[in-house]
Amino acid sequence: MKIFLKTEDEIVLMREANQLVGKTLGELAKHIKPGVTTLHLDKIAEEFIRDHGAIPTFKGFPNPYGGPFPASICTSVNDVVVHGVPNAQTVLQEGDIISIDCGTLLNGFCGDSCYTYCVGEVSEEVKKLLRTTEEALYKGIEQAMAGRHVGDIGSAVQEHCEAQGYGVVRELTGHGIGQQMHEDPQIPNYGRRGNGVMLKNSMCIAIEPMITMGKRDIWLDQDRWTIRTRDGKPAAHFEHTVAVRKGKAEILSSFEEVRQIEGKQY
């Protein structure tokens, strides 16, 4: 395991890359409505990212099980947990939820964040899933301070979500981030306090709860990318990139742009 601590100048560049992700997610919020295809959203995102001088890091990302990722964002609708592939056949419907995971490479450093959107009016049951998942993200972030451990983050997420009866996906994790989109260490959404890698000042990590309304079991679709809940129930996914600090963690990415467009939907 090789963990790269960032300099303050590098964290400035990390923040710029992550703020662009936030702006991209905000731009997408303008277009998420019934009748829109996930492929259309992908084209908007890629154009927006490139117009701002960055590269979409997801496009061409290698897959050990198949071909490279063909798109610039992951669009995961309803029972898709992560890595949904944008396409012309998936049309958003009233009452759907869609998580959009987005990554950028700007000035040599990566940004990575994910937000789960409501399409029109969704059920109160689904709104609660989104609310709980986002709350868990911030509970995890509260633990991202120097001297704590990776297990403290995972435990905070797990306890909050399982107390509400939700499933916490085990097979997929958050991660370190810097010049590469995925660096050490892995950041699971479950664990025991005091266990795992100790967090150090200026580590940059992506924390990303992936939470299911039913059981936590998942399966891989035939496209070798799309990961769904095994019981077909909805899943939510929220992600921030943060810099570990001696006190309160510094959130480098942003949901503010999304909130300005859609307000608080849940």
Side-chain angles (χ1 to χ4, degrees):
M1 183 181 296
K2 193 167 186 178
I3 297 172
F4 298 97
L5 302 181
K6 310 301 187 290
T7 66
E8 289 304 313
D9 287 343
E10 288 173 333
I11 290 174
V12 168
L13 295 175
M14 291 279 297
R15 187 184 303 109
E16 290 173 359
N18 278 283
Q19 290 294 311
L20 177 55
V21 175
K23 290 178 177 137
T24 307
L25 294 175
E27 181 65 22
L28 290 168
K30 301 174 185 176
H31 302 274
I32 291 173
K33 56 189 175 183
V36 172
T37 67
T38 54
L39 182 62
H40 180 64
L41 296 174
D42 180 66
K43 289 177 178 176
I44 291 167
E46 180 170 5
E47 183 175 344
F48 190 86
I49 291 167
R50 293 191 187 279
D51 282 352
H52 285 79
I55 296 168
T57 46
F58 293 2
K59 194 157 195 178
F61 195 81
N63 183 349
Y65 307 109
F69 195 73
S72 297
I73 54 175
C74 298
T75 52
S76 303
V77 179
N78 296 335
D79 66 324
V80 178
V81 182
V82 287
H83 303 162
V85 180
N87 62 80
Q89 290 72 47
T90 303
V91 180
L92 297 183
Q93 308 288 334
E94 182 81 16
D96 285 346
I97 55 172
I98 176 172
S99 67
I100 297 185
D101 198 351
C102 179
T104 62
L105 178 65
L106 180 66
N107 297 322
F109 285 86
C110 293
D112 189 9
S113 183
C114 180
Y115 189 89
T116 302
Y117 305 77
C118 300
V119 182
E121 274 300 315
V122 307
S123 71
E124 289 302 321
E125 185 182 31
V126 171
K127 285 181 180 179
K128 184 184 175 188
L129 171 68
L130 269 56
R131 186 167 58 248
T132 303
T133 304
E134 188 181 8
E135 288 168 354
L137 169 62
Y138 288 103
K139 287 185 178 296
I141 290 170
E142 286 174 3
Q143 301 299 318
M145 60 181 74
R148 299 281 174 89
H149 293 77
V150 165
D152 295 321
I153 297 173
S155 176
V157 172
Q158 181 182 11
E159 288 171 11
H160 185 67
C161 294
E162 289 184 349
Q164 302 291 327
Y166 297 129
V168 178
V169 173
R170 301 288 201 276
E171 296 85 352
L172 303 155
T173 70
H175 50 88
I177 182 170
Q179 290 182 301
Q180 301 295 320
M181 186 167 63
H182 291 153
E183 296 182 354
D184 289 330
Q186 291 190 344
I187 312 293
N189 294 304
Y190 65 98
R192 291 169 53 196
R193 294 185 185 276
N195 278 19
V197 171
M198 179 180 282
L199 303 172
K200 295 185 178 180
N201 187 56
S202 77
M203 283 174 64
C204 289
I205 57 176
I207 300 173
E208 48 180 321
M210 290 157 270
I211 308 301
T212 64
M213 186 175 283
K215 295 181 178 179
R216 63 178 176 83
D217 306 296
I218 57 174
W219 60 280
L220 182 64
D221 221 338
Q222 290 182 344
D223 64 10
R224 314 305 288 170
W225 279 107
T226 304
I227 293 177
R228 299 179 183 272
T229 58
R230 191 169 284 276
D231 60 13
K233 292 185 177 180
H237 179 200
F238 287 88
E239 175 183 18
H240 271 315
T241 294
V242 306
V244 174
R245 295 302 193 184
K246 291 178 181 175
K248 184 179 178 182
E250 181 181 354
I251 301 174
L252 303 178
S253 46
S254 173
F255 294 157
E256 291 305 309
E257 293 81 3
V258 174
R259 291 277 192 257
Q260 288 171 11
I261 303 301
E262 68 169 27
K264 186 75 171 176
Q265 293 194 317
Y266 50 85

